[in-house]
Amino acid sequence: MKIGSSIFLVSLIVQVSVNILFLKSYPVQTYEYEGIATHLLKNKTFSCEKLGTTYYSLTPPLYPMVNAMVYFLTNYNHTAMRFVQMVFLALTCSVIYLIAKDVFDEGAGVVASVLCMLHPGLIFYSTRRLHELTMVSFLFSLLILAV
C-alpha cells in the first residue's frame, strides 16, 4: 500500500503544480452543475436554468450533491471544489495502479498510474472544469477493481 499512497501524493502534487504553473490564467468552467448545486442549496430543487428555461433532472444526482455539499461547507468556493476533484483523480491513479498490479505486475501498475496521472485531459478536467468526469472515473475504476 506504500506505493499506492505515494502515487496518490505525487498525482496531487502534479495536478496542483500544473494548475499553478500553466493554468492559473484559464477561467474555471462550471457548466450546469453550478446551477444545480446553487438551486439545491437555495431552493431545495434539483434544477438549473439555461436560456431562461428551468430544467429538472438534467444530470445524475451524485456530483451535483457533492458540489452542493462542498459549496455549503466553503461558501461557494470553486477552489475547494477543484481540490475535491484533484483528490478524486489522485485516488483514481492509485486504483489504476492496483488494477494493473493485479492483472499484470507491479511495474505495469506503476506505468499505468503514471500515464493516468500525466494525462492532459484528466488534469485539465480536474483543475479547470467543474465536471463529474473525475468522480465518475474514480467510481468506475473502483468498480473494476472490485470485480
Side-chain angles (χ1 to χ4, degrees), residues 72-125:
F72 177 75
L73 295 173
T74 63
N75 198 21
Y76 296 92
N77 189 339
H78 286 155
T79 304
M81 190 59 214
R82 288 186 354 234
F83 184 74
V84 168
Q85 290 187 164
M86 289 180 206
V87 168
F88 276 129
L89 183 56
L91 288 170
T92 302
C93 294
S94 297
V95 173
I96 293 291
Y97 162 76
L98 295 173
I99 292 169
K101 186 180 97 173
D102 285 350
V103 173
F104 299 107
D105 62 358
E106 193 166 323
V110 171
V111 169
S113 66
V114 167
L115 288 174
C116 179
M117 136 184 0
L118 297 177
H119 190 284
L122 290 174
I123 291 173
F124 185 75
Y125 267 85

Side-chain angles (χ1 to χ4, degrees), residues 24-40:
K24 64 182 170 188
S25 63
Y26 194 86
V28 175
Q29 296 176 334
T30 59
Y31 300 102
E32 64 272 1
Y33 303 107
E34 172 107 1
I36 294 172
T38 303
H39 280 233
L40 275 172

